[in-house]
Amino acid sequence: MNIIVPIKQVPDLVEELEINADGTDLDREWLKMKLNEFDDHALEEALLMKDESGANVTAIALDGDDIDKALYAAAAKGADRLVKVTGATGNSTHQAAKALANAIQGMDYDLVMTGVQSVDDRDGQLAVILAHYLGNSHVSVVTGVQASGGSVTVQKEYGAGMVAEFEAATPVVLGIQAARETPRYVPVAKVRRAQKSSTIEEVAAGDAAADAGSTVSKMYKPETGAGAEMIDGSAEDQAAKVIEILTQKGVK
Amino acid sequence: MSNQIIVVVEHLKGNIEDITFEMLGKGKEIAGATGGELVALLLGNGADGLAGQLGAADKVIYVDDANLAEYNPQAYCKAVTQIVQANSPKMVLIGNTSMGMDIAGGVSVDANLPFIAYASGIANDGSSVTSSLYGGKMNVDSTPSGDGCIVSVIAGSFPADAGKADGSPSVENATVDVSGLSVTFKQLIEPEGGDVDITQQEILVSVGRGIQSDENLPMAEELAAKLGGAISCSRPIVDSKWLAKTRQVGKSGLKVKPKLYLALGISGAPEHIEGMKDADLIIAVNTDPKAPIFDYAHYGVVQDLFDFIPALSGKL
């Protein structure tokens, strides 16, 4: 079984986010990037399937800041093949999906598994859009995948802990919400070794004309703290004030 | 382009989900402001009885097909695409839910329409959509560039009551081709009963990433016990297997409405907010003063959890 895992870097939300001079996007100059956490889960689920039944796992990403590092980290975790799609422009999901579809169409695959969403996919989640450009079926919000023959059984999470099970003939694209296990960790030294021992293949994006179909007029921070009355002071002072509030509201 | 606002109805086990009423309520405002027609699109097999709950809509388009007896990502994509192509609506509202995340993007590609996701606000003239992105840390206003667009709406963004009206909207039966499916529904798996039903608790002490390690959980559990409540959590805690799925609050977990929701080290991503914003009293503790949770909390404490939790426990 051949599994392709599209991955991407996203801004690390632990850092302060600044808005650019136009007020339409993040100021990307000093942005600290990290692997989309859901892509990490997609990669983990693919690697678990490899561990179980010997699947071949390809990590693929659009060219961009820090992407080589993310691909080498995927290799260090167990990905067999690394592909970087070059020459793609724009940052919408539709454009990314089109470029990835062009690259993936030329590859031999049974499953495409990627993160269910990312923090910046304003024009929609990648998995479903990629599936439709590829002409494949898809299921999103997946928390478990079992392969057998020419199909997979997947568990899709609804709200309130309810899960629906579907059977999908391959090839199929899955949006992964969570892997069965916590994504594996690789030490930096192992990533450095992977950097020396593995190669990143480059594939041209080709005609990736696609349109998000909308333009951003304004980016702004929501009014933080507008709702909450902030309690200042030391931890002891704050705790005392919280007790007072709980007593006053009849909770305690 | 027609003047229709189409709301894709979400239903499971014979119940219409709240997100549908939230979208119908908002759709009614948009239809009112633009002189448009509000249409509820209901897909199912023998599900036409649900139309009686969709009185907020001017019209229900009902598609009955054996392949739509259960929700199926592929069948829903095909059906919604064909209805959208046949009606050329001004706007299609789909939940940014587990089901909606299967549908909206696919229809966008197949019907070649703009798609704006994570909507928490929509201008009543339909000209601008506000998306909540970057874990709720940024709002982005977008303008659809062409005629017609698909918007996926975050649950809880609009009041459900505004979209709840009994009545008998006219029902138009439509047929679509949903044959040739390569995805088949197998079964629904009900959640396992947990030791504690967090939806029934009056006091929840809820932990997020900020708790850092499962070794720190007992500290929060002790606090919950002293308050006479139970412990709940955000998604990453369940993904790390530190707490059971039955303790998870949010979009893919449970919706709770306790008397007190004490959020410890939870940043407040939209997926979490969906599940707890209606709590009577929300007190949030976080080291980041800009954490979105403070937008929804009644009281905010910027403090290190490991200083605050013992301080509060010590006073109980």
Side-chain angles (χ1 to χ4, degrees):
Chain A
M1 166 154 295
N2 291 315
I3 307 175
I4 296 179
V5 183
I7 61 173
K8 79 166 189 179
Q9 296 280 96
V10 295
D12 188 344
L13 299 185
V14 170
E15 304 289 313
E16 177 87 358
L17 299 178
E18 296 296 340
I19 297 167
N20 70 5
D22 288 354
T24 57
D25 194 5
L26 295 180
D27 182 348
R28 293 180 177 270
E29 191 169 358
W30 304 109
L31 216 49
K32 185 170 170 243
M33 305 293 277
K34 59 173 259 197
L35 182 65
N36 175 21
E37 62 175 307
F38 298 106
D39 292 351
D40 203 13
H41 279 272
L43 180 63
E44 179 61 32
E45 189 68 19
L47 294 172
L48 289 171
M49 293 174 76
K50 177 184 170 174
D51 295 345
E52 285 159 5
S53 56
N56 191 281
V57 177
T58 299
I60 187 169
L62 298 188
D63 199 1
D65 291 345
D66 284 346
I67 203 64
D68 289 8
K69 193 178 76 184
L71 286 168
Y72 287 127
K77 289 178 178 181
D80 303 283
R81 185 182 173 197
L82 309 177
V83 178
K84 182 162 73 175
V85 182
T86 57
T89 52
N91 59 3
S92 77
T93 308
H94 284 73
Q95 287 163 319
K98 198 74 190 288
L100 285 166
N102 287 348
I104 291 171
Q105 246 145 11
M107 298 162 68
D108 188 14
Y109 67 96
D110 303 289
L111 274 181
V112 178
M113 307 202 319
T114 189
V116 66
Q117 66 183 67
S118 63
V119 295
D120 60 356
D121 49 358
R122 182 184 65 91
D123 63 318
Q125 298 83 17
L126 177 72
V128 58
I129 294 173
L130 175 60
H132 282 253
Y133 281 138
L134 285 168
N136 294 147
S137 59
H138 87 283
V139 183
S140 266
V141 201
V142 168
T143 53
V145 188
Q146 300 83 40
S148 62
S151 70
V152 289
T153 301
V154 300
Q155 287 77 42
K156 171 185 172 67
E157 210 172 71
Y158 292 160
M162 185 88 77
V163 170
E165 198 163 84
F166 295 91
E167 188 174 318
T170 56
V172 61
V173 181
L174 304 175
I176 303 292
Q177 168 84 52
R180 282 165 282 162
E181 302 292 336
T182 308
R184 59 197 72 185
Y185 169 79
V186 278
V188 179
K190 209 173 164 195
V191 178
R192 285 210 198 95
R193 277 202 298 280
Q195 189 162 356
K196 290 192 183 111
S197 60
S198 38
T199 331
I200 297 176
E201 294 169 46
E202 295 197 2
V203 177
D207 176 12
D211 189 0
S214 64
T215 48
V216 173
S217 57
K218 190 175 155 199
M219 176 183 273
Y220 52 100
K221 295 182 183 183
E223 291 270 301
T224 297
E229 182 183 317
M230 303 306 286
I231 301 167
D232 297 324
S234 67
E236 289 294 331
D237 296 346
Q238 290 168 320
K241 177 70 182 168
V242 166
I243 298 277
E244 197 180 300
I245 293 161
L246 296 183
T247 309
Q248 183 194 335
K249 303 272 180 188
V251 182
K252 192 67 209 169
Chain B
M1 187 180 71
S2 75
N3 62 358
Q4 285 180 350
I5 309 297
I6 294 185
V7 170
V8 177
V9 176
E10 197 169 299
H11 59 98
L12 184 65
K13 293 172 48 172
N15 292 312
I16 296 178
E17 305 281 337
D18 264 359
I19 179 69
T20 301
F21 298 114
E22 293 164 19
M23 293 190 294
L24 283 172
K26 185 66 201 178
K28 210 177 163 82
E29 283 180 24
I30 301 169
T34 57
E37 183 186 31
L38 180 61
V39 178
L41 172 56
L42 176 62
L43 310 176
N45 190 215
D48 46 338
L50 294 177
Q53 295 171 50
L54 301 171
D58 298 312
K59 178 171 89 179
V60 175
I61 295 181
Y62 176 57
V63 179
D64 194 281
D65 194 295
N67 282 338
L68 296 167
E70 294 285 349
Y71 169 76
N72 177 314
Q74 196 180 18
Y76 262 63
C77 269
K78 283 175 185 256
V80 175
T81 298
Q82 289 168 57
I83 294 294
V84 165
Q85 284 173 330
N87 290 275
S88 306
K90 180 181 167 64
M91 191 176 275
V92 183
L93 300 179
I94 299 178
N96 197 80
T97 54
S98 180
M99 291 183 189
M101 283 167 73
D102 282 336
I103 306 165
V107 177
S108 158
V109 172
D110 293 347
N112 193 26
L113 284 173
F115 172 22
I116 302 172
Y118 309 98
S120 58
I122 306 172
N124 280 344
D125 64 2
S127 65
S128 177
V129 175
T130 303
S131 303
S132 178
L133 300 179
Y134 299 99
K137 287 193 161 185
M138 287 289 169
N139 280 350
V140 174
D141 290 356
S142 303
T143 312
S145 44
D147 289 337
C149 80
I150 297 163
V151 175
S152 70
V153 177
I154 295 176
S157 299
F158 307 114
D161 285 349
K164 278 184 184 160
D166 291 339
S168 350
S170 67
V171 177
E172 178 184 308
N173 290 295
T175 27
V176 294
D177 179 6
V178 285
S179 61
L181 300 180
S182 59
V183 176
T184 44
F185 170 81
K186 303 304 277 185
Q187 60 169 329
L188 267 185
I189 304 166
E190 303 277 342
E192 284 172 29
D195 49 340
V196 168
D197 180 356
I198 58 169
T199 65
Q200 299 302 314
Q201 292 289 320
E202 293 197 338
I203 293 175
L204 287 175
V205 172
S206 208
V207 294
R209 264 188 237 269
I211 200 77
Q212 292 177 8
S213 158
D214 55 346
E215 287 168 12
N216 297 323
L217 277 179
M219 191 191 277
E221 278 162 344
E222 186 198 336
L223 177 59
K226 284 191 171 175
L227 282 165
I231 195 152
S232 60
C233 64
S234 63
R235 167 124 222 161
I237 304 302
V238 172
D239 283 349
S240 301
K241 306 201 192 308
W242 296 345
L243 284 172
K245 181 84 191 159
T246 50
R247 300 284 182 149
Q248 186 192 329
V249 173
K251 181 178 176 182
S252 55
L254 294 158
K255 200 170 184 175
V256 298
K257 201 177 171 300
K259 283 189 177 159
L260 168 66
Y261 191 82
L262 179 58
L264 302 175
I266 293 176
S267 65
E271 292 80 5
H272 186 77
I273 299 297
E274 254 184 69
M276 48 59 77
K277 71 175 183 181
D278 294 330
D280 293 345
L281 175 62
I282 302 169
I283 301 179
V285 186
N286 207 295
T287 46
D288 177 5
K290 294 193 168 141
I293 189 84
F294 291 127
D295 283 339
Y296 300 91
H298 302 97
Y299 294 93
V301 173
V302 176
Q303 187 57 264
D304 189 322
L305 291 188
F306 307 113
D307 291 331
F308 180 79
I309 297 174
L312 186 58
S313 272
K315 294 185 193 309
L316 287 163

